[in-house]
Amino acid sequence: MFVKFSKDISFYTLRRKWIWELNEDNIVSISRMKIRAIEKKYKDNANLFDEFKYLVFWRWVKKNTDISERFVNNFKKIINKLGLSLSPKEEKFITNIEEYVFSSWRPLKSIPVRFNLFPKEEVNLYQSKVFLLRWDDIDCKSYELGEYDLYYSNLRLIFCDKSYTIQREIYNNQIKDIDILIIGTIVYLHNGKNYLLRSNNKLLSYIFLLDIMPQFRDKNKKPDYYKLYSLSDAFFNIIN
């Protein structure tokens, strides 16, 4: 993703020369006019230089991927500046990031539910078809407990079946830490029990947990590039 493999051996020699003028460190600040001048300079190898632009963009994405409005804006800016086109998977990647940014910043609102809540409890977020598994952190093994609709409240995680009956719950004050892996979101409890949350949008569970428990937002480092890509169904492994 974001990079084109060239079958022309000369490309790998030329890119060592081009990288001094256009690279992942100057791509945001360099002007469109300057890029056009560089393209004109290497017009004899125009097709190869187009492939090189995708390589530069991929290297920038690899280095800068983040759940932030700044990343989204620079991503789109570079696409336009370089005149690149995105595949459906690449479009899905940036769309997912935009959704994560929106989820991170929107104010939490109370969601009406069909089950009883505690006094002063309110449900703020909802995620359907979430698999809950017990997680063995030592052996890295999981044991499936079931598929549920997950409601995130200010007091607990509520796992319901399709008839809105509460099947399981994890209280927020029991949660010691959270982490994000390629396979999903790990919830660590103070009693030593660990749980794995998995869904089609695995990163969304992590974002929702940070929304209702912001104390973990500063504590936990952001997921790295490789995790973000694989969690967005857009992982692209390349030796570069």
Side-chain angles (χ1 to χ4, degrees), residues 134-143 181 183 186 188 196:
R134 280 292 305 274
W135 174 255
D136 187 328
D137 206 38
I138 297 177
D139 297 330
C140 293
K141 293 182 179 179
S142 59
Y143 311 89
L181 303 178
I183 57 174
I186 308 294
Y188 299 96
L196 170 64

Side-chain angles (χ1 to χ4, degrees), residues 174-231:
Q174 295 177 321
I175 298 177
K176 178 182 179 181
D177 198 5
I178 60 175
D179 193 15
I180 185 74
L181 303 178
I182 289 178
I183 57 174
T185 298
I186 308 294
V187 178
Y188 299 96
L189 304 189
H190 289 287
N191 62 10
K193 292 183 179 180
N194 306 322
Y195 293 92
L196 170 64
L197 305 179
R198 300 194 65 182
S199 65
N200 289 334
N201 194 335
K202 306 179 189 70
L203 187 55
L204 194 59
S205 301
Y206 182 74
I207 296 298
F208 279 0
L209 286 171
L210 292 180
D211 281 348
I212 63 170
M213 292 179 284
Q215 66 269 27
F216 294 120
R217 189 179 297 279
D218 295 329
K219 180 180 179 181
N220 291 10
K221 64 181 181 180
K222 68 180 183 181
D224 64 26
Y225 159 80
Y226 295 102
K227 289 181 181 178
L228 278 173
Y229 263 59
S230 54
L231 292 170

Side-chain angles (χ1 to χ4, degrees), residues 6-191:
S6 179
K7 297 180 181 180
D8 192 325
I9 300 300
S10 63
F11 171 79
Y12 300 95
T13 301
L14 290 170
R15 75 173 187 175
R16 296 192 185 99
K17 175 182 177 182
W18 296 337
I19 202 71
W20 292 100
E21 297 186 75
L22 185 65
N23 54 65
E24 66 273 21
D25 294 322
N26 69 6
I27 189 59
V28 173
S29 59
I30 194 170
S31 69
R32 188 191 300 262
M33 185 178 297
K34 178 64 175 177
I35 293 175
R36 296 297 173 263
I38 297 173
E39 289 176 334
K40 185 176 181 179
K41 183 178 179 180
Y42 301 119
K43 63 181 180 180
D44 291 341
N45 295 292
N47 291 336
L48 294 181
F49 193 79
D50 284 342
E51 294 175 359
F52 173 73
K53 289 190 294 184
Y54 280 97
L55 173 64
V56 171
F57 182 55
W58 179 83
R59 290 168 64 133
W60 179 86
V61 171
K62 177 180 181 293
K63 185 176 182 179
N64 295 280
T65 299
D66 189 17
I67 303 174
S68 69
E69 189 174 358
R70 179 181 181 182
F71 171 77
V72 172
N73 290 339
N74 283 336
F75 182 101
K76 294 181 177 180
K77 180 180 178 181
I78 294 172
I79 285 291
N80 292 330
K81 188 185 296 186
L82 295 181
L84 306 180
S85 58
L86 299 182
S87 69
K89 280 192 175 182
E90 293 162 350
E91 290 280 5
K92 181 181 178 182
F93 166 76
I94 193 59
T95 299
N96 283 344
I97 295 293
E98 288 181 295
E99 290 177 357
Y100 304 149
V101 172
F102 175 76
S103 298
S104 299
W105 289 102
R106 77 181 188 279
L108 296 179
K109 296 182 179 180
S110 180
I111 298 174
V113 294
R114 299 186 185 181
F115 47 83
N116 295 327
L117 298 174
F118 294 118
K120 297 184 179 180
E121 180 183 21
E122 62 178 32
V123 171
N124 303 120
L125 299 164
Y126 162 76
Q127 190 176 7
S128 63
K129 297 182 180 180
V130 176
F131 287 94
L132 177 66
L133 305 93
R134 280 292 305 274
W135 174 255
D136 187 328
D137 206 38
I138 297 177
D139 297 330
C140 293
K141 293 182 179 179
S142 59
Y143 311 89
E144 185 173 325
L145 300 176
E147 180 184 356
Y148 307 98
D149 290 337
L150 175 54
Y151 297 83
Y152 299 76
S153 88
N154 58 323
L155 297 180
R156 55 185 170 153
L157 306 180
I158 306 166
F159 299 85
C160 294
D161 58 22
K162 294 302 181 183
S163 62
Y164 305 100
T165 302
I166 297 176
Q167 299 295 320
R168 297 179 183 273
E169 54 189 359
I170 300 174
Y171 286 87
N172 296 355
N173 59 11
Q174 295 177 321
I175 298 177
K176 178 182 179 181
D177 198 5
I178 60 175
D179 193 15
I180 185 74
L181 303 178
I182 289 178
I183 57 174
T185 298
I186 308 294
V187 178
Y188 299 96
L189 304 189
H190 289 287
N191 62 10

